Amino acid sequence: MEKQKNMETGNPLGELSIPKLLLKFTVPSIIAMLTSALYNIVDQFFIGNSVGELGNAATNIAFPLTTCCLSIALLFGIGGASAFNLAKGREEEDAVYYMGNALMGMVSLGCILLIFTQLFLSPMLVFFGTPDSVMEYAKSYVRITSLGFPMMILATGGGHLIRADGSPNFTMILNLTGAVINTILDALFVFGFHWGMEGAAAATIIGQYISGVMAMGYLSNCKSVTLVREHFHIEKKYIATVMSLGAAPCSNQLAMMVVQLVMNKSLTYYGALSRFGQEIPLACAGIIAKVNQVYFSFVIGMSQGMQPIASFNYGAKKYHRVKKVYLMSIFCGFAVSLTAFLIFQVFPHAIIGLFGDGSGEYVSFAVSYFRIFLFFTFVNFMQPISSNFFTAIGKPKKGMFLSLTRQILFLLPLIVILPLIMGIDGILYAGPAADITAAVVSGVMIGREIYGRGVFRESMGK
């Protein structure tokens, strides 16, 4: 019956104009990603202006765990959404099983991460490279925020499934709701009650739980399918497809987590050998990483908004539409990236000043980090959009490889090698070197896919 209905009416993903579809799916996706970034940056603002540099350093130490949660959410969220949309484009009746299996994966791994963090918190923070002066702040923060891991994963990953179901606006609303509540409670708990790190952490998990409950409410009554108990039974053929399609964005986040860990250890070690000390580089890098995450929210939001459009039309063999949505996403990504580059280069003092006062060395390092490490921001749209494009058209191996280029293949070795020659300045110059190299590799791979030989090129020429 559903198949007959699709044949008669057509799916909007395959019929509406690409600019209109991209606007419909991208804007809510960007807002959803922005609200996710705001969870971190709002905590940084309140902690920086109440606790100070040590509090900022503690949130940076905890950031890899947030990245780990996001990797799980993208593994099952984007993977489940891509599998669901590809199956719907091919008019397969078992599309709903991908959604159910994806949800079970999110909840299961979220609970495992929560338990592991609670049991091994102290040795984990030592492994993360936490200085003694920062340890108690980090423990207080992570012990509470880890309680929200399952709901954070469900809200973020579930948002992708909700978007795939054709309700991008609801994804935007659930994320906005959590972020607004987090901001209000941060002000109350940190500035009003003076609860410090514990107050910021409590505000974060309350917002996450509310967003998670909203996601569960929607998914229990989807628009295009009905989830029942049998859809949640993990089956190899469904979960394997979901994980393969979500592997690229997940790998990108895991790579970021590894880089964050190595970066923190390097900043602590080489900072101690410089005039900045251990805490200043750690605090500055944490702030700038979260500011950069705001910029990346636009780029990742565009790549995620592109996903259901590219997936459905590739499944329906409408290749000219697939090419058009990718090229439009790339153009928009460049415009956003160029704007971010200009802001980072011109206004670093103003940005760092939002997160509290600091010494002359603190400001000096932060400004250098902005202007050097983020110098090639204007090309940083290529790798994430292209990686997600390969995933969307059902080519996860290419997407996974591309997702690992900047973080693992280029940035990680440079973070290790360059400081041996240049000291802490080597960490700063590792960023632009990795960015430009990853952009070039992305351009070459995409050029071969779209303009190389094969059915894809021939069909898009029609």
Side-chain angles (χ1 to χ4, degrees), residues 44 53-67 121-122 124-139 141-142 145 197 257 260-261 263-265 267-268 278-279 282-283 285-287 290:
Q44 196 85 57
E53 289 180 17
L54 295 180
N56 281 333
T59 59
N60 188 27
I61 287 293
F63 198 46
L65 287 170
T66 300
T67 306
L121 178 59
S122 293
M124 181 185 295
L125 292 177
V126 171
F127 175 75
F128 285 2
T130 311
D132 293 338
S133 58
V134 179
M135 181 61 76
E136 290 306 314
Y137 293 100
K139 280 185 180 179
Y141 188 73
V142 176
T145 54
M197 302 295 293
M257 184 181 73
Q260 286 163 5
L261 293 174
M263 176 81 80
N264 287 346
K265 286 178 174 287
L267 288 167
T268 302
Q278 290 183 318
E279 293 82 7
L282 204 56
I287 291 171
K290 289 165 187 175

Side-chain angles (χ1 to χ4, degrees), residues 65 68-69 72 107-121 124 142-151 153 209:
L65 287 170
C68 184
C69 288
I72 296 171
V107 174
S108 300
L109 287 190
C111 291
I112 290 171
L113 183 61
L114 162 60
I115 294 169
F116 185 86
T117 303
Q118 290 288 333
L119 290 177
F120 303 103
L121 178 59
M124 181 185 295
V142 176
R143 186 176 288 113
I144 297 173
T145 54
S146 62
L147 298 175
F149 287 170
M151 282 302 195
I153 292 168
Y209 267 81

Side-chain angles (χ1 to χ4, degrees), residues 438-450:
V440 170
V441 172
S442 300
V444 171
M445 288 183 64
I446 267 303
R448 288 178 177 176
E449 182 67 31
I450 293 181

